[in-house]
Amino acid sequence: SVSHSQITRLYSRFTSLDKGENGTLSREDFQRIPELAINPLGDRIINAFFPEGEDQVNFRGFMRTLAHFRPIEDNEKSKDQNGPEPLNSRSNKLHFAFRLYDLDKDEKISRDELLQVLRMMVGVNISDEQLGSIADRTIQEADQDGDSAISFAEFVKVLEKVDVEQKMSIRFLH
Amino acid sequence: MFLLLPFDSLVVNLLGISITVLFTLLLVFIIVPAIFGVSFGIRKVYMKTLLKIFQWATLRIERGAKEKNHPLYKPYVNGIIAKEPTSLEEEIKEIRRSGSGKALDAPEFELSDIFYFCRKGIETIMDDEVTKRFSAEELESWNLLSRTNYNFQYISLRLTVLWGLGVLIRYCFLLPLRIALAFTGISLLVTGTTVVGYLPNGRCKEFLSKHVHLMCYRICVRALTAIITYHDRENRPRNGGICVANHTSPIDVIILASDGYYAMVGQIHGGLMGVIQRAMVKACPHVWFERSEVKDRHLVAKRLTEHVQDKSKLPILIFPEGTCINNTSVMMFKKGSFEIGATVYPVAIKYDPQFGDAFWNSSKYGMVTYLLRMMTSWAIVCSVWYLPPMTRQPEEDAVQFANRVKSAIARQGGLVDLLWDGGLKREKVKDAFKEEQQKLYSKMIVGNHEDRSRS
């Protein structure tokens, strides 16, 4: 699990972001990070930290969201299968990415949602028609049950060969 | 010089004697050397003694932590997470490569592309390159100041006593001494420059003005117990040039001006600062702007150009970052000073935070609180490197020239060279940077052909 020093370091980071010094972070606190503000999906990522309808996240919630990005250690793979699935399992990492697309949280990525997220990623550089055809093609390739939307299971199937463990993990230096 | 008092109290007499002795010592050991620019070396001995004490203190804390079997909190300046320096293109291609066996170079969209933005975003939430430049640098060993201690639960009784002694020395002995010196220095500056101002223009006035300025800055240096090591003094700025340096605090000015004679540039303030500024400009031509004029970039450029073209005038001192940064990095240099066409003399200033952190966090502390913190630190230790002069090459524009100078300063001072604007301390980042990212990504999914405009 996460080491004591890593938690201390993340707590130090949490407090340095907490400009209001009230033990919680608001969306503005995140937006103050320049490198995050220039990320095209910055707002979606910030949103992932805030539970439904809430505007503040405490340190526990902060750690919980970041826990998705812990590397999957080898010894954890052979741990007991009876306990609850760890937040940083392959499936949960994929679900985190899925939720970035699924704007209304109905466990389906509709054509409209895919279009909106694509628009965030490309800005003004691609026309509506082109983007539309890209979205159509993507849904067509992934959709298996014919509902013109991508469910989580279909999402997992499309990405079954991708090295999720490596691409959605962040390593501490110490 | 005895203070004769009406009541014959022993305590009052003792007080009088000690104040007299203090001021005599002050005069002999500090002010007189400052006037002549020599040094007894007292500060260097002081510095060495302090270092030994700090090392001892750190060892005690480490021992305390080991006894309790807890890991010690050690700050890491180089970041806490592993970041790969790959570009957007490379990263996304790699993600796609691992996912499918399709033709890779054809531009298209993959659902897995989102992993890149997601991970990059979370990485910056855990540790970013910019926001940490606007708060004081964390130290690896403890310097007996409570303001820099992160492991206070491991301090033994002996260490606490030492710390208490430190507080006593700093607040009851060093602070009054330094305030007295600062007061002397500033009043000498104001009166000296005003008096020199009455002289007719000529060699005599210049000579006196130079020495009045130098003397007062040297007294101020001693008022902060600043121990400065100058390197490569043969590259010191000459008339008609512009001296640029990285900015960490208002003290930078005192440090540079005590070793050279500069024309200052800045906005006229009210209050004490304004009085000092108005007095200084009587003795030699500094470039002060009214608040309204500062916004007018053409006016500023015009006055600076006029100044540098007059070869008899002093080199201008400018801090192109525009704001104070915490001395671990150099941030974007504003191109204004680099468009004027004068020779640029870069200077790198690196503070040693062990003895006192000179960084002015202007959003946290006002000027007075800041100066108080400075005067209750152990000392301000820094190194100044005078770099060889640089001029703008014909094929580079002002921005490229500014970046070249910035890299030279960063390299010499051992600082991180950043392209980010120091103004991000207060302002939001420009949308143009996000648009750049979006443009780069668009190329990856539709390539360079097809229509680009949004219909």
Side-chain angles (χ1 to χ4, degrees):
Chain A
S1 58
V2 194
S3 79
H4 183 262
S5 78
Q6 288 169 354
I7 299 181
T8 320
R9 234 162 277 297
L10 286 174
Y11 186 68
S12 177
R13 174 65 172 169
F14 181 85
T15 39
S16 73
L17 290 172
D18 180 13
K19 289 282 185 269
E21 287 180 6
N22 53 359
T24 61
L25 296 179
S26 65
R27 285 187 167 79
E28 285 79 32
D29 288 322
F30 284 98
Q31 279 155 356
R32 223 175 275 122
I33 304 172
E35 286 165 291
L36 186 62
I38 68 167
N39 188 319
L41 292 177
D43 287 334
R44 291 299 301 152
I45 297 168
I46 294 174
N47 214 45
F49 283 84
F50 294 87
E52 189 62 52
E54 297 204 11
D55 286 327
Q56 302 286 331
V57 55
N58 60 13
F59 183 60
R60 165 161 266 167
F62 184 70
M63 285 294 289
R64 207 163 182 281
T65 314
L66 291 181
H68 286 86
F69 292 85
R70 272 173 44 220
I72 300 178
E73 315 294 351
D74 274 357
N75 53 359
E76 272 183 16
K77 282 202 187 118
S78 48
K79 250 193 190 154
D80 71 315
Q81 310 289 10
N82 297 331
E85 200 179 357
L87 282 172
N88 64 336
S89 68
R90 185 195 160 86
S91 175
N92 276 326
K93 284 183 198 287
L94 279 166
H95 207 190
F96 190 93
F98 183 80
R99 285 197 294 267
L100 290 178
Y101 284 112
D102 182 15
L103 299 168
D104 61 3
K105 300 194 204 229
D106 66 349
E107 296 295 313
K108 280 196 195 315
I109 305 175
S110 68
R111 180 186 192 266
D112 212 42
E113 288 172 338
L114 186 54
L115 260 181
Q116 283 188 55
V117 175
L118 275 169
R119 182 55 73 195
M120 286 183 219
M121 291 200 270
V122 305
V124 300
N125 296 296
I126 300 180
S127 69
D128 282 337
E129 287 117 18
Q130 246 192 321
L131 220 58
S133 57
I134 291 175
D136 287 328
R137 186 183 54 78
T138 311
I139 294 186
Q140 206 179 35
E141 285 176 1
D143 189 18
Q144 286 168 341
D145 60 8
D147 61 352
S148 304
I150 307 177
S151 69
F152 182 54
E154 289 161 355
F155 186 73
V156 172
K157 186 91 183 46
V158 173
L159 299 175
E160 65 186 343
K161 294 212 205 82
V162 176
D163 186 4
V164 179
E165 285 89 336
Q166 218 245 324
K167 293 304 168 191
M168 290 278 280
S169 293
I170 298 176
R171 299 200 143 56
F172 273 92
L173 281 176
H174 313 276
Chain B
M1 193 181 98
F2 253 86
L3 294 165
L4 289 168
L5 296 146
F7 23 89
D8 208 2
S9 160
L10 185 66
V11 171
V12 179
N13 271 339
L14 274 177
L15 199 66
I17 296 174
S18 47
I19 293 180
T20 315
V21 169
L22 192 71
F23 273 97
T24 318
L25 282 175
L26 213 85
L27 204 70
V28 173
F29 283 106
I30 301 181
I31 296 186
V32 170
I35 295 176
F36 293 104
V38 294
S39 173
F40 278 120
I42 303 176
R43 283 174 286 157
K44 292 249 154 71
V45 172
Y46 171 64
M47 193 170 99
K48 288 203 177 78
T49 323
L50 277 178
L51 266 176
K52 291 214 178 76
I53 299 179
F54 296 160
Q55 277 164 357
W56 180 84
T58 312
L59 281 170
R60 297 293 298 206
I61 295 187
E62 282 170 5
R63 242 177 54 186
K66 221 180 277 181
E67 276 163 25
K68 297 197 184 156
N69 226 348
H70 281 165
L72 210 60
Y73 175 79
K74 272 193 179 279
Y76 292 109
V77 195
N78 293 324
I80 61 175
I81 50 181
K83 289 190 193 174
E84 273 136 69
T86 43
S87 70
L88 182 149
E89 250 194 85
E90 284 166 23
E91 266 296 303
I92 295 190
K93 277 205 178 123
E94 243 206 75
I95 301 176
R96 292 178 181 176
R97 191 172 303 144
S98 70
S100 67
K102 287 192 247 179
L104 282 169
D105 288 326
E108 60 187 302
F109 170 70
E110 293 289 335
L111 281 170
S112 57
D113 290 350
I114 207 171
F115 291 170
Y116 169 77
F117 294 108
C118 182
R119 193 179 86 191
K120 264 277 174 303
I122 300 282
E123 273 177 4
T124 64
I125 290 176
M126 290 171 84
D127 187 15
D128 79 297
E129 280 303 309
V130 185
T131 56
K132 64 187 178 194
R133 310 294 171 190
F134 302 134
S135 59
E137 188 185 352
E138 294 186 335
L139 293 175
E140 294 215 2
S141 60
W142 191 39
N143 61 352
L144 291 184
L145 297 175
S146 59
R147 55 188 88 148
T148 55
N149 196 318
Y150 321 106
N151 293 303
F152 44 80
Q153 59 264 44
Y154 304 124
I155 301 180
S156 60
L157 182 65
R158 228 183 278 187
L159 214 52
T160 315
V161 167
L162 192 67
W163 173 76
L165 199 66
V167 171
L168 214 70
I169 296 178
R170 283 183 294 122
Y171 280 84
C172 302
F173 174 61
L174 290 176
L175 183 64
L177 183 69
R178 287 170 178 165
I179 293 183
L181 279 171
F183 187 71
T184 317
I186 295 178
S187 29
L188 274 177
L189 182 67
V190 173
T191 47
T193 47
T194 314
V195 164
V196 171
Y198 287 122
L199 293 172
N201 285 350
R203 298 271 308 269
C204 185
K205 181 178 186 178
E206 262 185 60
F207 178 80
L208 280 176
S209 170
K210 177 172 183 182
H211 285 274
V212 164
H213 275 95
L214 280 175
M215 175 183 82
C216 299
Y217 283 120
R218 287 196 196 119
I219 297 179
C220 289
V221 160
R222 280 157 172 82
L224 292 163
T225 318
I227 304 167
I228 312 167
T229 319
Y230 296 100
H231 302 265
D232 306 326
R233 294 181 79 228
E234 66 273 8
N235 291 325
R236 274 190 307 167
R238 310 226 167 99
N239 282 9
I242 300 183
C243 175
V244 304
N246 57 316
H247 202 23
T248 307
S249 103
I251 293 177
D252 293 339
V253 175
I254 300 179
I255 288 177
L256 289 180
S258 61
D259 189 46
Y261 190 29
Y262 298 98
M264 309 283 167
V265 177
Q267 191 185 309
I268 286 248
H269 290 96
L272 180 62
M273 258 324 296
V275 171
I276 300 175
Q277 287 175 312
R278 273 175 260 269
M280 279 167 68
V281 82
K282 291 197 183 111
C284 90
H286 297 288
V287 187
W288 302 129
F289 292 100
E290 299 291 334
R291 195 186 192 95
S292 50
E293 291 175 322
V294 171
K295 303 270 185 323
D296 186 348
R297 287 189 38 204
H298 288 295
L299 180 66
V300 170
K302 187 160 153 285
R303 276 186 69 181
L304 290 178
T305 318
E306 277 168 6
H307 187 109
V308 301
Q309 277 168 355
D310 186 346
K311 292 293 171 202
S312 68
K313 293 222 174 120
L314 304 165
I316 301 181
L317 181 57
I318 286 189
F319 297 100
E321 280 164 314
T323 186
C324 295
I325 312 292
N326 78 346
N327 209 233
T328 57
S329 68
V330 185
M331 299 187 98
M332 186 182 93
F333 275 4
K334 304 215 182 328
K335 62 178 175 158
S337 352
F338 299 90
E339 286 174 322
I340 299 177
T343 317
V344 169
Y345 294 88
V347 177
I349 308 177
K350 180 83 178 97
Y351 289 89
D352 184 346
Q354 273 267 300
F355 297 91
D357 193 337
F359 169 58
W360 182 28
N361 191 342
S362 47
S363 40
K364 222 172 162 188
Y365 307 112
M367 177 64 105
V368 179
T369 322
Y370 169 70
L371 283 175
L372 229 70
R373 282 169 70 91
M374 285 300 99
M375 292 195 180
T376 54
S377 307
W378 293 111
I380 308 286
V381 178
C382 65
S383 293
V384 175
W385 286 273
Y386 292 104
L387 296 163
M390 293 179 162
T391 42
R392 179 148 76 100
Q393 303 301 310
E395 66 273 3
E396 57 180 8
D397 64 4
V399 174
Q400 288 164 332
F401 181 40
N403 284 338
R404 187 160 62 92
V405 174
K406 174 161 66 77
S407 301
I409 293 181
R411 213 174 318 128
Q412 179 67 75
L415 305 163
V416 177
D417 185 1
L418 293 178
L419 289 171
W420 294 96
D421 185 353
L424 290 171
K425 200 200 252 185
R426 298 215 166 78
E427 293 151 11
K428 285 201 181 298
V429 66
K430 294 199 179 76
D431 284 331
F433 293 105
K434 187 196 263 193
E435 285 157 21
E436 238 179 80
Q437 293 271 301
Q438 288 169 328
K439 200 162 184 185
L440 269 173
Y441 181 63
S442 311
K443 284 210 187 85
M444 295 214 73
I445 65 177
V446 290
N448 285 313
H449 48 96
E450 322 278 320
D451 65 317
R452 300 297 217 91
S453 52
R454 192 178 176 175
S455 54

